[in-house]
Amino acid sequence: MRGLMQDWPLLCHRIIEHAARYHGTQEVVTRSVEGPIVRTTYAEIHKRALKVSQMLQRDGIKLGDRVATIAWNTARHLECWYGIMGIGAICHTVNPRLFPEQIAWIINHAEDRVVMTDITFVPLLEKIAGQLPSVERYVVLTDKAHMPQTTLKNAVAYEEWLAQADGKFEWQDFDENTAAAMCYTSGTTGDPKGVLYSHRSNVIHSFMANSKDALGTSSSDVMLPVVPLFHANSWGIAFSAPAMGTKLVMPGMKLDGASVYELLETEKVTHTAGVPTVWLMLLNHMAAGNLKLPHLEFVVCGGSAMPRSMIKAFVDMGVTVRHAWGMTEMSPLGTLAALKPPFSDLKGDAQLDVLQTQGFPPYGVQMKITDDAGKELPWDGKTFGRLKVAGPAVAKAYFKVDTKILDDEGYFDTGDVATIDPHGYMRITDRSKDVIKSGGEWISSIDLENLAVGHPAVAEAAVIGVFHPKWDERPLLIVQLKQGQSATREDILKFMDGKIAKWWMPDDVVFVEGIPHTATGKILKTALRDQFKAYRFPNAAA
Ligand code: ADP
């Protein structure tokens, strides 16, 4: 027997319609790419998104066509998103921090027909435009006055283009499993891979994101997503915030400590989300000027492991810290470290121990850990295994790739190595390719990095496994010191000693000027392994 409830497809554009109807006057504030702070509302964004749909349709864009955006977090970018998805076209967010050749590869692979971009990226696109045969037109997200001279094909200023539409347009219903958006993983190994979200998966993900143990904002909160729209849907915030009628503050291109602080302060932001690097810049800026953020209540941090010292800095400010783990293939939320019983009342170090885990999943994500043969491992908080996930917002295949990516039970291998404790809290111990295999045992590079950055002179730390004649691999700690600070190899090892098992201690410490990062801000271990290819431990004996 079938249920007797309405067949109401879960479609992304219904979210902005809801925001416009019930929270129409709620503000969306942007630090515009042109400079000034600009203010709009959900009602206005909805109206203009309909015009985007109308214009795309006039330009021949149909259901299933890909439209790229290469843009910062702004209200215009949000309008484009909903306008593209509303006609069943696919919003392909391109990460501008990738190498130009990777951007060209991705646009060609996706066969994008239109590229919508900020003035900032016009020079970059001009360099690769000759290699982009599928692109028929470039829409530059600015007005006539700021439109640069450009050689880009059929280039038009967004405001002029939009002004041609009368806005008499309605979005139609279609199958909720229709593709809505795509995002390529940064591909630190091999070619980038296209993750293709559906309307249904994005809407379900927005419900998950909006649960209280996840991002959980309300119509009285103010959210500033520092995490870009091109980084896995800004962790779903582009959907979850309008779904709740949460005021949005969009930071545009300025993500440095001073600029983010200024917006947090002047817009009375209560909730914000970003990667650790962003919070490091903010905290440094605040410490230097002895600044406070009395309105800030909640900071989400993910993308890479949040250092304990950073968690403590926010806790000491009275801010709720939500350490999150996820990935592009998961839309992207996987787990978040909320404090639940029996941990709710913990204080001090015991509380930090729980906040530093990657947390437990919202309803809609299932996890398991297995050994290399696929056998499930116990949830004892100690045994590490390959972390695998399943759920309605988890990828089942990559775009135009035939390879099977799910195991026989339908779980996707995240490439992470993790423990899970009896309460369901997951802790990432490594990427499966970064874990250090010493004498048959595994050492977590992330644990060592987190510990090392707790040293007051250390700005950033990376650990890689280096060949050892007796143990196969041993950890090498690579350190970048804070400007103007000094520390020796011995200082750092002494600081770590006693805080981890003896056999986990790095065999050596080397100091570097800078640690390389991927386009999404993660430490680029492949480059470090290359750089230290010839390195040998001083006292390595078989
Ligand atoms: P990429 O395109 O670089 O793979 P993703 O954002 O999809 O970008 O990266 C997902 C990976 O980032 C995860 O598989 C995990 O290794 C790492 N990651 C994300 N959040 C965390 C976290 N809180 N702690 C540790 N690692 C994390």
Side-chain angles (χ1 to χ4, degrees):
M1 193 183 296
R2 292 180 63 89
L4 289 173
M5 304 312 279
Q6 295 182 9
D7 198 5
W8 199 86
L10 303 176
L11 297 171
C12 294
H13 43 288
R14 300 294 173 223
I15 293 178
I16 200 72
E17 263 178 14
H18 172 87
R21 187 168 298 153
Y22 302 104
H23 308 281
T25 56
Q26 185 66 282
E27 275 187 313
V28 176
V29 180
T30 300
R31 185 191 295 283
S32 67
V33 177
E34 294 87 354
I37 303 287
V38 293
R39 290 172 187 276
T40 180
T41 60
Y42 280 128
E44 199 55 30
I45 288 186
H46 171 237
K47 241 197 306 194
R48 285 161 55 92
L50 285 169
K51 289 187 176 182
V52 171
S53 291
Q54 201 177 10
M55 289 312 293
L56 285 172
Q57 209 168 60
R58 194 209 63 179
D59 286 353
I61 301 299
K62 309 177 302 299
L63 193 89
D65 285 342
R66 272 78 71 196
V67 175
T69 65
I70 310 184
W72 301 108
N73 287 10
T74 65
R76 282 185 182 137
H77 194 176
L78 207 59
E79 291 161 7
C80 296
W81 269 45
Y82 283 103
I84 296 166
M85 294 181 209
I87 53 166
I90 298 163
C91 176
H92 171 204
T93 47
V94 179
N95 182 346
R97 296 177 185 145
L98 298 173
F99 295 118
E101 312 81 74
Q102 270 178 319
I103 295 180
W105 189 95
I106 285 172
I107 292 177
N108 283 324
H109 191 262
E111 298 171 79
D112 295 324
R113 290 186 59 192
V114 174
V115 173
M116 308 185 83
T117 190
D118 280 324
I119 43 181
T120 337
F121 306 117
V122 167
L124 166 87
L125 283 164
E126 282 175 341
K127 281 200 199 96
I128 57 171
Q131 305 163 45
L132 306 176
S134 66
V135 179
E136 295 157 31
R137 120 159 295 173
Y138 294 82
V139 179
V140 183
L141 300 174
T142 192
D143 53 18
K144 192 174 174 197
H146 294 89
M147 181 69 179
Q149 276 288 341
T150 174
T151 55
L152 291 174
K153 199 194 299 174
N154 289 326
V156 60
Y158 178 69
E159 295 298 339
E160 277 196 284
W161 183 69
L162 222 57
Q164 297 168 35
D166 60 14
K168 290 199 183 89
F169 192 85
E170 269 186 49
W171 288 322
Q172 306 297 317
D173 273 357
F174 39 76
D175 180 354
E176 64 182 18
N177 286 301
T178 304
M182 77 197 303
C183 189
Y184 281 73
T185 62
S186 47
T188 36
T189 50
D191 286 332
K193 294 191 277 296
V195 176
L196 192 57
Y197 306 110
S198 66
H199 282 262
R200 173 187 152 85
S201 71
N202 279 341
V203 173
I204 291 178
H205 185 271
S206 75
F207 291 132
M208 286 171 14
N210 276 326
S211 57
K212 198 163 177 204
D213 281 343
L215 308 191
T217 56
S218 77
S219 51
S220 346
D221 294 319
V222 183
M223 167 62 96
L224 188 157
V226 186
V227 53
L229 288 166
F230 55 77
H231 196 174
N233 297 329
S234 61
W235 301 345
I237 294 167
F239 302 113
S240 63
M244 300 307 286
T246 304
K247 171 177 164 179
L248 268 178
V249 181
M250 301 297 240
M253 62 187 286
K254 293 205 170 150
L255 308 181
D256 59 284
S259 306
V260 170
Y261 175 83
E262 188 196 28
L263 281 181
L264 291 172
E265 155 77 1
T266 54
E267 296 301 325
K268 299 189 171 59
V269 171
T270 56
H271 290 59
T272 183
V275 295
T277 332
V278 161
W279 303 136
L280 191 66
M281 292 190 289
L282 175 74
L283 289 168
N284 286 343
H285 174 74
M286 290 178 70
N290 196 19
L291 301 169
K292 304 263 177 301
L293 282 171
H295 302 285
L296 188 65
E297 295 169 17
F298 191 95
V299 171
V300 189
C301 180
S304 50
M306 187 177 191
R308 190 178 181 93
S309 47
M310 186 180 285
I311 299 177
K312 183 166 183 316
F314 282 116
V315 170
D316 289 349
M317 284 162 56
V319 168
T320 300
V321 173
R322 186 87 13 114
H323 186 198
W325 165 85
M327 59 196 315
T328 307
E329 287 88 337
M330 299 182 76
S331 300
L333 294 179
T335 57
L336 302 103
L339 289 172
K340 62 171 174 169
F343 309 118
S344 324
D345 299 324
L346 293 179
K347 295 272 173 297
D349 272 334
Q351 187 194 54
L352 294 180
D353 286 345
V354 182
L355 292 178
Q356 205 182 349
T357 70
Q358 275 72 11
F360 56 91
Y363 171 66
V365 175
Q366 288 177 346
M367 327 184 270
K368 65 178 179 182
I369 42 173
T370 76
D371 65 13
D372 284 343
K375 187 170 127 306
E376 273 210 52
L377 296 171
W379 291 21
D380 58 11
K382 293 193 200 80
T383 312
F384 320 174
R386 289 170 171 275
L387 177 63
K388 299 180 182 172
V389 291
V394 177
K396 65 176 175 192
Y398 291 111
F399 183 58
K400 294 204 234 167
V401 178
D402 280 338
T403 329
K404 180 169 174 267
I405 62 168
L406 304 186
D407 71 8
D408 292 343
E409 291 175 332
Y411 279 71
F412 169 77
D413 188 334
T414 62
D416 287 319
V417 175
T419 63
I420 305 178
D421 80 4
H423 298 279
Y425 282 85
M426 186 274 285
R427 206 170 63 82
I428 297 280
T429 53
D430 237 317
R431 292 289 292 164
S432 45
K433 50 188 190 301
D434 296 338
V435 74
I436 294 140
K437 295 188 172 154
S438 170
E441 298 288 341
W442 289 8
I443 299 176
S444 154
S445 66
I446 292 183
D447 281 1
L448 297 182
E449 288 159 7
N450 280 341
L451 182 56
V453 292
H455 187 288
V458 174
E460 197 167 16
V463 173
I464 54 168
V466 168
F467 169 76
H468 188 286
K470 181 165 174 191
W471 302 108
D472 291 339
E473 260 184 11
R474 290 292 303 157
L476 171 68
L477 172 60
I478 301 161
V479 167
Q480 180 188 345
L481 291 171
K482 287 185 186 154
Q483 245 178 355
Q485 304 259 359
S486 62
T488 62
R489 168 187 189 277
E490 284 65 36
D491 294 335
I492 305 231
L493 291 177
K494 191 158 158 239
F495 171 81
M496 297 175 79
D497 195 17
K499 299 189 177 91
I500 37 167
K502 268 250 160 319
W503 64 276
W504 277 41
M505 285 293 283
D507 282 29
D508 199 6
V509 183
V510 292
F511 295 90
V512 293
E513 290 293 317
I515 287 182
H517 291 101
T518 66
T520 48
K522 292 179 228 295
I523 295 174
L524 190 54
K525 297 255 171 120
T526 44
L528 286 174
R529 277 189 212 108
D530 226 36
Q531 190 179 338
F532 289 94
K533 212 163 41 195
Y535 175 89
R536 291 290 168 265
F537 289 115
N539 302 320

